Amino acid sequence: MRSRSLTITLQIVALSLALGGLGGEPAAAQTLKAIKDRGSLVCGVSEGIAGFSAPAQNGNWAGFDVDFCRALAAAIFDDAGKVKFVPLSADDRFNKLRSKEVDVLSRNSSWTMSRENALGLLFAAVTYYDGQGFMVRQARKVASALELGGSKVCVQPGTTTQLNLADYFNANGMKFEVVSVANPAAALKAYDDGGCDVLTSDVSQLHAQRATLAKPNDHVILPEVISKEPLGPAVRQEDPEWFNIVKWTHFAMLNAEEAGVSSKTIDQALGSAKPDVKRLVGTEGNYGEQIGLTKDWVVRILKHVGNYAEVYDRNVGVETPLGIPRGLNHLWTMGGIMYAPPIR
Ligand SMILES: N[C@@H](CCC(=O)N[C@@H](CS)C(=O)NCC(=O)O)C(=O)O
């Protein structure tokens, strides 16, 4: 009897060592713990794309991708300000995530198979469905990308943009010259100076770049969209708990929009008798606790940042200088393809 209970005890010890490693703390939980210990989230963003991630006049980072990290900080700390933003170039963004210089990359990055599998990363969600397009001067009187043969095209290395560009021009038997630029500002300067006559990028970024030009209406974004660019936040593969937090933060913001709960209606929602609203705001169930946060995690996100529509509308929507209609990024109930699994 005695030796049997000793065997069981040893088995339990062996199992917990295998699961937890010698340090006791499971490797999986370390990103959230590190963020809490340091008192802030470290978020990789772009070097400056208006509406998505760029320093505002007051010096604070602002934009759609920035707000996603602010939502994570709100969920964790009940304070959307506890984020350090690290601007990363297209070329070194994934290395900086891999080497743990940032906790999450929230930077107009396309989800592709090789970025997950060859680089050991995971995309947590698609926060913005995009595609690659072209921008030219109105004065060129070009109506279609198929008329761009012989152009000098500005493009940034380390992007899906560079690869799609070659595929598209080659497939259509058109010659082109690549003008390699280091960042969006350099692209705009080269385009302005005539170093290149075509800008190509995710259509969302073309809108951002056009809004930055002296006379936005002198430039047209051509109708062709030549690729799928599902943009979203990426994390390292080793930490499923953190992956879950990032993924469900996006889903919570979408589910809030779908349920009609926003920063403006959150106080009423706390008194709601509707089951889906109760689960969302934590008056029923312990959904936040299941992902290592608190029951009121969505209340925190909504109060400090807002739901998906609020973030979209204030940063890139039709009322902003970018003026991008929701399109594919509308909820599935509104003609788009944004669809979040339910909280239940
Ligand atoms: N979504 C594409 C393109 C992303 C990208 O980095 N595009 C450039 C072209 S404008 C950019 O945003 N650069 C911003 C920067 O370097 O800070 C990808 O993931 O490769």
Side-chain angles (χ1 to χ4, degrees), residues 249-271:
T249 293
H250 171 63
F251 290 157
M253 292 166 85
L254 275 183
N255 280 322
E257 177 184 358
E258 194 176 326
V261 185
S262 69
S263 62
K264 294 183 189 71
T265 60
I266 182 63
D267 289 331
Q268 284 149 263
L270 283 165

Side-chain angles (χ1 to χ4, degrees), residues 45-49 53 87-91 93-94 107-112 115 123 130 155-162 181-185 187 200-202 205-206 209 229-231:
V45 289
S46 80
E47 294 172 300
I49 302 172
S53 47
L88 298 175
S89 75
D91 242 356
R93 59 188 145 162
F94 299 115
R107 180 207 175 283
N108 54 293
S109 294
S110 305
W111 182 343
T112 69
R115 284 175 177 174
F123 281 82
D130 209 343
V155 67
Q156 231 180 293
T159 57
T160 46
T161 320
Q162 187 186 18
V181 288
N183 51 52
T200 185
S201 187
D202 298 339
Q205 286 161 57
L206 294 178
Q209 288 180 301
E229 305 296 331
L231 310 181

Side-chain angles (χ1 to χ4, degrees), residues 9 16-17 83 97 122 129 131 139 146 164 184 221 236 239 253 279 281 292 323 333:
T9 312
S16 46
L17 282 178
V83 191
L97 176 61
L122 287 174
Y129 288 96
L146 293 168
N164 299 327
I221 297 171
R236 293 177 291 277
D239 188 341
M253 292 166 85
R279 289 191 297 270
V281 301
T333 48

Side-chain angles (χ1 to χ4, degrees), residues 87-102:
L88 298 175
S89 75
D91 242 356
D92 68 3
R93 59 188 145 162
F94 299 115
N95 288 334
K96 293 279 156 78
L97 176 61
R98 277 154 58 98
S99 61
K100 301 195 178 179
E101 282 173 60
V102 295

Side-chain angles (χ1 to χ4, degrees), residues 17-194:
L17 282 178
L19 286 176
L22 286 170
E25 181 74 25
Q30 278 170 6
T31 309
L32 180 62
K33 185 176 180 304
I35 292 167
K36 285 185 174 166
D37 289 350
R38 97 164 76 82
S40 66
L41 168 77
V42 183
C43 172
V45 289
S46 80
E47 294 172 300
I49 302 172
F52 285 88
S53 47
Q57 274 171 350
N58 59 10
N60 292 336
W61 283 85
F64 180 91
D65 289 339
V66 164
D67 275 349
F68 185 73
C69 282
R70 295 177 65 249
L72 289 171
I76 298 166
F77 295 112
D78 201 11
D79 181 347
K82 293 198 166 162
V83 191
K84 184 177 167 238
F85 292 100
V86 179
L88 298 175
S89 75
D91 242 356
D92 68 3
R93 59 188 145 162
F94 299 115
N95 288 334
K96 293 279 156 78
L97 176 61
R98 277 154 58 98
S99 61
K100 301 195 178 179
E101 282 173 60
V102 295
D103 301 310
V104 59
L105 184 70
S106 180
R107 180 207 175 283
N108 54 293
S109 294
S110 305
W111 182 343
T112 69
M113 189 165 176
S114 58
R115 284 175 177 174
E116 289 202 326
N117 299 301
L119 301 179
L121 303 177
L122 287 174
F123 281 82
V126 179
T127 52
Y128 191 106
Y129 288 96
D130 209 343
Q132 183 173 337
F134 298 95
M135 183 164 81
V136 293
R137 282 179 205 307
Q138 181 95 51
R140 254 185 94 176
K141 303 245 180 301
V142 170
S144 157
L146 293 168
E147 297 166 44
L148 293 179
S151 296
K152 287 192 275 183
V153 190
C154 271
V155 67
Q156 231 180 293
T159 57
T160 46
T161 320
Q162 187 186 18
L163 307 174
N164 299 327
L165 170 69
D167 287 353
Y168 183 77
F169 274 70
N170 293 336
N172 289 295
M174 302 188 298
K175 288 204 165 55
F176 66 107
E177 190 186 318
V178 167
V179 180
S180 210
V181 288
N183 51 52
L188 268 186
K189 190 171 180 304
Y191 177 76
D192 241 0
D193 296 351

